[in-house]
Amino acid sequence: MGITVLLYHRIHPRFGIHPKEFEKQMQFLKKHFKVVSLHEALKENLSFPSALITFDDGFYDVFYYAYPILRELSLPAVIFVSPERLLDSREVRETPEPSNISTYEAFKNSFLHKNNSAFLSWGELMKMKDVFSVQSHALTHRAAVGKGGKPFKGEGRDWRLFSLPEEERERVKPGTPLTSILVRERGEAERELSTSKKIIEERLGEEVNSIAFPWGIYDGELLKTAKKLGYRYCFTTERGWNRRLSCRVKRLAVGEKKSLRWFKIRSLLYAP
């Protein structure tokens, strides 16, 4: 049997999926699916239907809003983080204020001002290990060797602009293909993958065997590089169901504007 892999980013009353809606989605999954951990998902004989919950980027609101819901429902999950987009602290915060910022402003602060307060701290990741397996989202969230990705939307609308050096930012116009401007050197892309894996394993004492490619961009060579570096599973943003976890995992992205009805239909539709 196969597995439905769900992709989330933010759980927030204003800047993501509302926590109440997220809780309803999780209650539906608990009732109708066997929700598995990453370790369980690697097994050959999965119950039908099975689901794996994943988060990309590592926003603080995952700790404040999503983590308590998942813990209460005893649902495991995976979070893919970029070490340079984390708060370099063992602090465990207990208020919602750090999450009250748009995704655009959060990445702007992180890339331009090295202010990662909107993202998780190492202390918070450590605390969440009873629910989350922490895996790689590359080092800086800039690895983009390959094909894919949506064109830039224009200044003021697309936070990806801030991941570029200042001189490159000036070249970006609405419609500029993402892959024409981001990381093109294979060596740099390899360092993004290898350094992220090393840092997470050293800081959290957890094996990192999976990566979610930033923006879902990759090619055959990057898959080979990931495998060479010890990544067994590569999570993409491609939609589809998975007969089993493999080197290229498809996911169903759940956005903040999607209804509970949409979630129920799509999650069951992607259950093979």
Side-chain angles (χ1 to χ4, degrees):
M1 293 299 180
I3 184 169
T4 300
V5 183
L6 301 169
L7 165 59
Y8 289 92
H9 287 90
R10 300 193 65 179
I11 308 300
H12 191 275
R14 181 180 176 189
F15 300 115
I17 297 173
H18 197 285
K20 292 182 179 179
E21 289 302 309
F22 178 71
E23 184 172 18
K24 292 176 183 177
Q25 293 174 6
M26 296 303 99
Q27 289 170 341
F28 174 81
L29 286 181
K30 186 174 179 67
K31 182 177 180 180
H32 296 282
F33 285 79
K34 169 62 176 176
V35 180
V36 297
S37 66
L38 179 61
H39 177 72
E40 292 170 324
L42 307 184
K43 298 178 181 178
E44 289 291 326
N45 298 316
L46 291 170
S47 302
F48 174 79
S50 293
L52 178 66
I53 303 165
T54 71
F55 288 81
D56 283 7
D57 296 343
F59 278 94
Y60 169 72
D61 48 69
V62 175
F63 173 75
Y64 189 80
Y65 291 108
Y67 171 58
I69 293 170
L70 293 168
R71 185 180 56 190
E72 178 67 23
L73 294 173
S74 299
L75 297 178
V78 184
I79 188 163
F80 296 96
V81 300
S82 301
E84 287 199 6
R85 303 278 82 79
L86 294 174
L87 186 62
D88 191 14
S89 168
R90 288 289 180 181
E91 178 185 8
V92 177
R93 296 164 289 180
E94 298 180 351
T95 65
E97 279 73 23
S99 69
N100 295 336
I101 184 172
S102 69
T103 299
Y104 182 88
E105 291 296 328
F107 275 109
K108 180 180 179 180
N109 288 345
S110 180
F111 277 108
L112 299 190
H113 309 299
K114 300 189 183 301
N115 178 353
N116 290 334
S117 59
F119 296 88
L120 291 162
S121 71
W122 290 104
E124 288 150 2
L125 284 170
M126 183 67 75
K127 186 174 179 63
M128 294 197 302
K129 285 179 64 177
D130 60 333
V131 168
F132 283 93
S133 171
V134 183
Q135 301 293 317
S136 173
H137 203 31
L139 177 64
T140 68
H141 204 294
R142 197 177 174 235
V145 173
K147 299 179 180 179
K150 298 178 182 178
F152 279 94
K153 301 174 185 177
E155 189 171 358
R157 300 178 58 210
D158 198 329
W159 64 261
R160 296 174 297 178
L161 184 70
F162 304 121
S163 68
L164 304 175
E166 185 175 358
E167 64 275 12
E168 291 188 14
R169 264 182 262 140
E170 297 175 356
R171 295 164 46 199
V172 176
K173 308 295 181 185
T176 300
L178 184 66
T179 49
S180 73
I181 199 94
L182 292 176
V183 174
R184 293 184 294 278
E185 292 295 328
R186 293 285 171 182
E188 185 177 353
E190 183 169 337
R191 286 191 295 275
E192 285 270 345
L193 272 57
S194 63
T195 307
S196 173
K197 185 178 192 297
K198 181 175 183 290
I199 291 174
I200 296 171
E201 289 180 339
E202 289 179 350
R203 295 294 295 263
L204 299 179
E206 177 175 351
E207 179 190 10
V208 175
N209 60 19
S210 301
I211 184 167
F213 293 122
W215 302 308
I217 296 176
Y218 70 97
D219 62 10
E221 287 301 314
L222 197 59
L223 285 173
K224 291 179 182 178
T225 297
K227 186 176 181 180
K228 180 183 73 172
L229 294 172
Y231 291 106
R232 295 175 60 192
Y233 307 99
C234 301
F235 288 71
T236 73
T237 56
E238 297 170 13
R239 281 190 177 187
W241 60 274
N242 305 277
R243 188 171 298 279
R244 62 178 62 85
L245 288 196
S246 63
C247 191
R248 192 182 74 180
V249 181
K250 298 178 180 179
R251 294 188 287 177
L252 174 63
V254 185
E256 59 194 79
K257 297 181 180 179
K258 304 301 184 183
S259 67
L260 181 61
R261 182 175 182 272
W262 177 93
F263 178 82
K264 291 178 177 179
I265 293 172
R266 288 305 177 99
S267 58
L268 290 171
L269 179 65
Y270 282 87

